[in-house]
Amino acid sequence: MSLMESYVSHFRPDIDRISGYVPGEQPKENGIIKLNTNESPYPPAPGVEKILREFDSAKLRLYPDPVSQDLRAEISANCGVSIENVIAGNGSDDILTIITRCFADATRPIACFHPSYSLYPTLAELQGAPCVKINLTENFDIPDDVLKQAAGANIFMIARPNAPTGNLFAMEKMEKICAEFNGIVLIDEAYADFSKDNCIGFVKRFPNVIICRTFSKSRSLAGLRFGYAIAHEKVIEGMMKMKDSYNVSMLTQKLALASLWDKRYFEDAVVKIKASREALMLGLTEQKFSVVPSETNFVFAAPPDRNGKRYFLELKRHNILVRYFPDCRTCEYVRITIGLPGDMAGLLSITKGIYGS
Ligand SMILES: *Cc1c(COP(=O)(O)O)cnc(C)c1O
């Protein structure tokens, strides 16, 4: 009997049963315009490059600061909270994993919207926790009976702005959920830097709210892996017990801090991306696309024939990679990351060729 044939799974059945999260493609070929994973088209702040160049590699012999003190101090000052309200993570996916392990199990379900970030149901599956999926309305808005549907869950994971749809749920609806849901409300603000408002103020009003943010999108640091969460000090204290001891590398702590120091560069990049977003939304609307109003660095849009897959494949043929979600709620659409202005113009002109308008 070969070693393969003699294999017996000792995994928890939960793990054997699921397929796991599928991240967007990172193509190896050159010459592809990559608009599929919401990375920034601009380089990180110049200060990041400087720190990296001057970094003394001999320091890597030592463990990093386990609690990312300097970085959390800077974040807390920027967010108007104290350092006890901040936890640092290896990307916000690490924060989401910590939260899942803290608040979900077989008797403590996770609630989330559909369509939304598909990692939430995957985290529930990995944890052996039931997942309560709440369908968004026709316009991808929160349904009126949301609290009734979410009742019984211990944690409600909400991306605001939502992904992959890009729209921003009304502040009043978020407030009502935070005030009335009997459990933790995780507000995933991965795209909040591109939106007109955010929920950070909720942390001072609701002890059950966690806000999480990432440096992967607006700060051009997806490859570095840094994210953080803001919440009541008791919530952060519990999460600190759960995290890996050294979950944020020494280089990550230094480079993320350098990114925060360069405020002007960051703000300019966000302004440029928002301008390109408005131009893309207008250009697609003019070509009879149905475009979801975006408050993010991507646009979720359905072509005139409402065949998302065909548009995805046509763009791919022209070396433009966008994201297509085959699920029946999203299959009429594609999600297009905002790239450089020239890439957006190229996409619009190729689109004209495809639909002959
Ligand atoms: C990109 C994204 C994340 C993950 O961010 P990382 O910090 O790169 O792990 C989390 N939530 C949403 C909604 C995202 O789109």
Side-chain angles (χ1 to χ4, degrees), residues 275-297:
S276 302
R277 173 183 80 199
E278 298 311 307
L280 178 65
M281 285 172 58
L282 185 64
L284 290 173
T285 305
E286 281 170 359
Q287 296 194 46
K288 305 278 189 310
F289 275 58
S290 132
V291 180
V292 179
S294 170
E295 289 285 325
T296 62
N297 68 336

PDB file of all heavy atoms in Angstrom, residues 275-297:
ATOM      1  N   ALA A 275     -11.407  60.213  -7.453  1.00  0.00           N
ATOM      2  CA  ALA A 275     -11.683  60.904  -8.725  1.00  0.00           C
ATOM      3  C   ALA A 275     -11.781  59.882  -9.863  1.00  0.00           C
ATOM      4  O   ALA A 275     -12.690  59.954 -10.703  1.00  0.00           O
ATOM      5  CB  ALA A 275     -10.594  61.942  -9.010  1.00  0.00           C
ATOM      6  N   SER A 276     -10.870  58.900  -9.889  1.00  0.00           N
ATOM      7  CA  SER A 276     -10.914  57.861 -10.930  1.00  0.00           C
ATOM      8  C   SER A 276     -12.181  57.023 -10.807  1.00  0.00           C
ATOM      9  O   SER A 276     -12.752  56.583 -11.804  1.00  0.00           O
ATOM     10  CB  SER A 276      -9.717  56.921 -10.827  1.00  0.00           C
ATOM     11  OG  SER A 276      -8.526  57.631 -10.929  1.00  0.00           O
ATOM     12  N   ARG A 277     -12.601  56.797  -9.588  1.00  0.00           N
ATOM     13  CA  ARG A 277     -13.822  56.021  -9.341  1.00  0.00           C
ATOM     14  C   ARG A 277     -15.036  56.736  -9.929  1.00  0.00           C
ATOM     15  O   ARG A 277     -15.851  56.129 -10.626  1.00  0.00           O
ATOM     16  CB  ARG A 277     -14.014  55.853  -7.833  1.00  0.00           C
ATOM     17  CG  ARG A 277     -15.326  55.206  -7.436  1.00  0.00           C
ATOM     18  CD  ARG A 277     -15.471  55.151  -5.935  1.00  0.00           C
ATOM     19  NE  ARG A 277     -15.915  56.417  -5.372  1.00  0.00           N
ATOM     20  CZ  ARG A 277     -15.792  56.772  -4.085  1.00  0.00           C
ATOM     21  NH1 ARG A 277     -15.212  55.958  -3.228  1.00  0.00           N
ATOM     22  NH2 ARG A 277     -16.231  57.935  -3.660  1.00  0.00           N
ATOM     23  N   GLU A 278     -15.127  58.045  -9.685  1.00  0.00           N
ATOM     24  CA  GLU A 278     -16.271  58.794 -10.215  1.00  0.00           C
ATOM     25  C   GLU A 278     -16.248  58.761 -11.741  1.00  0.00           C
ATOM     26  O   GLU A 278     -17.286  58.591 -12.384  1.00  0.00           O
ATOM     27  CB  GLU A 278     -16.260  60.242  -9.701  1.00  0.00           C
ATOM     28  CG  GLU A 278     -16.385  60.369  -8.177  1.00  0.00           C
ATOM     29  CD  GLU A 278     -17.525  59.548  -7.562  1.00  0.00           C
ATOM     30  OE1 GLU A 278     -18.681  59.698  -8.024  1.00  0.00           O
ATOM     31  OE2 GLU A 278     -17.268  58.728  -6.651  1.00  0.00           O
ATOM     32  N   ALA A 279     -15.052  58.888 -12.325  1.00  0.00           N
ATOM     33  CA  ALA A 279     -14.934  58.857 -13.787  1.00  0.00           C
ATOM     34  C   ALA A 279     -15.352  57.492 -14.338  1.00  0.00           C
ATOM     35  O   ALA A 279     -16.061  57.413 -15.358  1.00  0.00           O
ATOM     36  CB  ALA A 279     -13.493  59.188 -14.202  1.00  0.00           C
ATOM     37  N   LEU A 280     -14.951  56.425 -13.670  1.00  0.00           N
ATOM     38  CA  LEU A 280     -15.312  55.082 -14.139  1.00  0.00           C
ATOM     39  C   LEU A 280     -16.817  54.846 -14.017  1.00  0.00           C
ATOM     40  O   LEU A 280     -17.458  54.311 -14.933  1.00  0.00           O
ATOM     41  CB  LEU A 280     -14.545  54.017 -13.342  1.00  0.00           C
ATOM     42  CG  LEU A 280     -14.880  52.568 -13.727  1.00  0.00           C
ATOM     43  CD1 LEU A 280     -14.451  52.266 -15.166  1.00  0.00           C
ATOM     44  CD2 LEU A 280     -14.225  51.574 -12.771  1.00  0.00           C
ATOM     45  N   MET A 281     -17.396  55.278 -12.894  1.00  0.00           N
ATOM     46  CA  MET A 281     -18.841  55.092 -12.704  1.00  0.00           C
ATOM     47  C   MET A 281     -19.622  55.822 -13.796  1.00  0.00           C
ATOM     48  O   MET A 281     -20.565  55.277 -14.377  1.00  0.00           O
ATOM     49  CB  MET A 281     -19.271  55.596 -11.322  1.00  0.00           C
ATOM     50  CG  MET A 281     -18.871  54.644 -10.197  1.00  0.00           C
ATOM     51  SD  MET A 281     -19.156  55.272  -8.533  1.00  0.00           S
ATOM     52  CE  MET A 281     -20.892  55.587  -8.575  1.00  0.00           C
ATOM     53  N   LEU A 282     -19.174  57.046 -14.103  1.00  0.00           N
ATOM     54  CA  LEU A 282     -19.830  57.835 -15.150  1.00  0.00           C
ATOM     55  C   LEU A 282     -19.683  57.163 -16.512  1.00  0.00           C
ATOM     56  O   LEU A 282     -20.658  56.997 -17.258  1.00  0.00           O
ATOM     57  CB  LEU A 282     -19.222  59.249 -15.167  1.00  0.00           C
ATOM     58  CG  LEU A 282     -19.867  60.253 -16.115  1.00  0.00           C
ATOM     59  CD1 LEU A 282     -21.313  60.519 -15.693  1.00  0.00           C
ATOM     60  CD2 LEU A 282     -19.066  61.560 -16.139  1.00  0.00           C
ATOM     61  N   GLY A 283     -18.455  56.743 -16.826  1.00  0.00           N
ATOM     62  CA  GLY A 283     -18.179  56.116 -18.125  1.00  0.00           C
ATOM     63  C   GLY A 283     -19.002  54.847 -18.335  1.00  0.00           C
ATOM     64  O   GLY A 283     -19.516  54.610 -19.437  1.00  0.00           O
ATOM     65  N   LEU A 284     -19.134  54.044 -17.288  1.00  0.00           N
ATOM     66  CA  LEU A 284     -19.909  52.802 -17.412  1.00  0.00           C
ATOM     67  C   LEU A 284     -21.404  53.100 -17.503  1.00  0.00           C
ATOM     68  O   LEU A 284     -22.133  52.453 -18.266  1.00  0.00           O
ATOM     69  CB  LEU A 284     -19.623  51.878 -16.218  1.00  0.00           C
ATOM     70  CG  LEU A 284     -18.226  51.259 -16.170  1.00  0.00           C
ATOM     71  CD1 LEU A 284     -17.999  50.512 -14.853  1.00  0.00           C
ATOM     72  CD2 LEU A 284     -17.977  50.314 -17.357  1.00  0.00           C
ATOM     73  N   THR A 285     -21.863  54.082 -16.736  1.00  0.00           N
ATOM     74  CA  THR A 285     -23.278  54.468 -16.795  1.00  0.00           C
ATOM     75  C   THR A 285     -23.630  54.942 -18.206  1.00  0.00           C
ATOM     76  O   THR A 285     -24.682  54.582 -18.747  1.00  0.00           O
ATOM     77  CB  THR A 285     -23.576  55.574 -15.756  1.00  0.00           C
ATOM     78  OG1 THR A 285     -23.160  55.105 -14.476  1.00  0.00           O
ATOM     79  CG2 THR A 285     -25.058  55.904 -15.703  1.00  0.00           C
ATOM     80  N   GLU A 286     -22.728  55.710 -18.815  1.00  0.00           N
ATOM     81  CA  GLU A 286     -22.949  56.193 -20.194  1.00  0.00           C
ATOM     82  C   GLU A 286     -23.051  55.041 -21.182  1.00  0.00           C
ATOM     83  O   GLU A 286     -23.714  55.151 -22.206  1.00  0.00           O
ATOM     84  CB  GLU A 286     -21.810  57.139 -20.610  1.00  0.00           C
ATOM     85  CG  GLU A 286     -21.974  58.530 -20.053  1.00  0.00           C
ATOM     86  CD  GLU A 286     -20.725  59.401 -20.260  1.00  0.00           C
ATOM     87  OE1 GLU A 286     -19.714  58.898 -20.822  1.00  0.00           O
ATOM     88  OE2 GLU A 286     -20.759  60.566 -19.830  1.00  0.00           O
ATOM     89  N   GLN A 287     -22.407  53.920 -20.859  1.00  0.00           N
ATOM     90  CA  GLN A 287     -22.489  52.749 -21.735  1.00  0.00           C
ATOM     91  C   GLN A 287     -23.588  51.786 -21.287  1.00  0.00           C
ATOM     92  O   GLN A 287     -23.523  50.590 -21.555  1.00  0.00           O
ATOM     93  CB  GLN A 287     -21.132  52.027 -21.767  1.00  0.00           C
ATOM     94  CG  GLN A 287     -20.026  52.891 -22.370  1.00  0.00           C
ATOM     95  CD  GLN A 287     -18.788  52.059 -22.701  1.00  0.00           C
ATOM     96  OE1 GLN A 287     -18.894  50.984 -23.290  1.00  0.00           O
ATOM     97  NE2 GLN A 287     -17.622  52.539 -22.322  1.00  0.00           N
ATOM     98  N   LYS A 288     -24.573  52.315 -20.594  1.00  0.00           N
ATOM     99  CA  LYS A 288     -25.786  51.568 -20.202  1.00  0.00           C
ATOM    100  C   LYS A 288     -25.528  50.442 -19.202  1.00  0.00           C
ATOM    101  O   LYS A 288     -26.297  49.489 -19.117  1.00  0.00           O
ATOM    102  CB  LYS A 288     -26.494  50.979 -21.446  1.00  0.00           C
ATOM    103  CG  LYS A 288     -26.838  51.984 -22.533  1.00  0.00           C
ATOM    104  CD  LYS A 288     -28.135  52.701 -22.197  1.00  0.00           C
ATOM    105  CE  LYS A 288     -28.677  53.563 -23.336  1.00  0.00           C
ATOM    106  NZ  LYS A 288     -27.692  54.486 -23.938  1.00  0.00           N
ATOM    107  N   PHE A 289     -24.416  50.536 -18.463  1.00  0.00           N
ATOM    108  CA  PHE A 289     -24.179  49.589 -17.376  1.00  0.00           C
ATOM    109  C   PHE A 289     -25.064  49.975 -16.194  1.00  0.00           C
ATOM    110  O   PHE A 289     -25.429  51.129 -16.032  1.00  0.00           O
ATOM    111  CB  PHE A 289     -22.716  49.636 -16.909  1.00  0.00           C
ATOM    112  CG  PHE A 289     -21.781  48.766 -17.710  1.00  0.00           C
ATOM    113  CD1 PHE A 289     -21.642  48.949 -19.082  1.00  0.00           C
ATOM    114  CD2 PHE A 289     -21.029  47.784 -17.082  1.00  0.00           C
ATOM    115  CE1 PHE A 289     -20.770  48.152 -19.820  1.00  0.00           C
ATOM    116  CE2 PHE A 289     -20.148  46.981 -17.805  1.00  0.00           C
ATOM    117  CZ  PHE A 289     -20.022  47.160 -19.171  1.00  0.00           C
ATOM    118  N   SER A 290     -25.390  48.978 -15.376  1.00  0.00           N
ATOM    119  CA  SER A 290     -26.043  49.322 -14.130  1.00  0.00           C
ATOM    120  C   SER A 290     -24.964  49.300 -13.047  1.00  0.00           C
ATOM    121  O   SER A 290     -24.288  48.290 -12.818  1.00  0.00           O
ATOM    122  CB  SER A 290     -27.214  48.365 -13.931  1.00  0.00           C
ATOM    123  OG  SER A 290     -27.224  47.857 -12.680  1.00  0.00           O
ATOM    124  N   VAL A 291     -24.752  50.469 -12.431  1.00  0.00           N
ATOM    125  CA  VAL A 291     -23.605  50.680 -11.547  1.00  0.00           C
ATOM    126  C   VAL A 291     -24.087  50.910 -10.118  1.00  0.00           C
ATOM    127  O   VAL A 291     -24.915  51.785  -9.878  1.00  0.00           O
ATOM    128  CB  VAL A 291     -22.781  51.906 -12.021  1.00  0.00           C
ATOM    129  CG1 VAL A 291     -21.581  52.136 -11.110  1.00  0.00           C
ATOM    130  CG2 VAL A 291     -22.338  51.741 -13.466  1.00  0.00           C
ATOM    131  N   VAL A 292     -23.576  50.126  -9.194  1.00  0.00           N
ATOM    132  CA  VAL A 292     -23.915  50.333  -7.777  1.00  0.00           C
ATOM    133  C   VAL A 292     -23.095  51.525  -7.280  1.00  0.00           C
ATOM    134  O   VAL A 292     -21.879  51.547  -7.471  1.00  0.00           O
ATOM    135  CB  VAL A 292     -23.581  49.073  -6.944  1.00  0.00           C
ATOM    136  CG1 VAL A 292     -23.916  49.286  -5.476  1.00  0.00           C
ATOM    137  CG2 VAL A 292     -24.314  47.848  -7.489  1.00  0.00           C
ATOM    138  N   PRO A 293     -23.738  52.531  -6.655  1.00  0.00           N
ATOM    139  CA  PRO A 293     -22.981  53.696  -6.166  1.00  0.00           C
ATOM    140  C   PRO A 293     -21.863  53.247  -5.220  1.00  0.00           C
ATOM    141  O   PRO A 293     -22.135  52.607  -4.209  1.00  0.00           O
ATOM    142  CB  PRO A 293     -24.024  54.527  -5.412  1.00  0.00           C
ATOM    143  CG  PRO A 293     -25.348  54.010  -5.823  1.00  0.00           C
ATOM    144  CD  PRO A 293     -25.164  52.599  -6.294  1.00  0.00           C
ATOM    145  N   SER A 294     -20.617  53.564  -5.570  1.00  0.00           N
ATOM    146  CA  SER A 294     -19.484  53.051  -4.809  1.00  0.00           C
ATOM    147  C   SER A 294     -18.928  54.063  -3.822  1.00  0.00           C
ATOM    148  O   SER A 294     -18.737  55.229  -4.150  1.00  0.00           O
ATOM    149  CB  SER A 294     -18.370  52.618  -5.754  1.00  0.00           C
ATOM    150  OG  SER A 294     -17.195  52.333  -5.009  1.00  0.00           O
ATOM    151  N   GLU A 295     -18.634  53.591  -2.619  1.00  0.00           N
ATOM    152  CA  GLU A 295     -17.934  54.398  -1.610  1.00  0.00           C
ATOM    153  C   GLU A 295     -16.606  53.703  -1.275  1.00  0.00           C
ATOM    154  O   GLU A 295     -16.116  53.790  -0.144  1.00  0.00           O
ATOM    155  CB  GLU A 295     -18.804  54.518  -0.359  1.00  0.00           C
ATOM    156  CG  GLU A 295     -20.023  55.399  -0.542  1.00  0.00           C
ATOM    157  CD  GLU A 295     -19.689  56.892  -0.550  1.00  0.00           C
ATOM    158  OE1 GLU A 295     -18.772  57.315   0.170  1.00  0.00           O
ATOM    159  OE2 GLU A 295     -20.347  57.621  -1.304  1.00  0.00           O
ATOM    160  N   THR A 296     -16.048  53.001  -2.265  1.00  0.00           N
ATOM    161  CA  THR A 296     -14.847  52.187  -2.041  1.00  0.00           C
ATOM    162  C   THR A 296     -13.808  52.473  -3.137  1.00  0.00           C
ATOM    163  O   THR A 296     -13.952  53.439  -3.886  1.00  0.00           O
ATOM    164  CB  THR A 296     -15.207  50.685  -2.116  1.00  0.00           C
ATOM    165  OG1 THR A 296     -15.706  50.412  -3.424  1.00  0.00           O
ATOM    166  CG2 THR A 296     -16.276  50.313  -1.096  1.00  0.00           C
ATOM    167  N   ASN A 297     -12.792  51.620  -3.252  1.00  0.00           N
ATOM    168  CA  ASN A 297     -11.835  51.751  -4.356  1.00  0.00           C
ATOM    169  C   ASN A 297     -12.131  50.721  -5.453  1.00  0.00           C
ATOM    170  O   ASN A 297     -11.228  50.243  -6.130  1.00  0.00           O
ATOM    171  CB  ASN A 297     -10.387  51.599  -3.860  1.00  0.00           C
ATOM    172  CG  ASN A 297     -10.079  50.186  -3.391  1.00  0.00           C
ATOM    173  OD1 ASN A 297     -10.978  49.446  -3.008  1.00  0.00           O
ATOM    174  ND2 ASN A 297      -8.818  49.797  -3.438  1.00  0.00           N
TER     175      ASN A 297
END
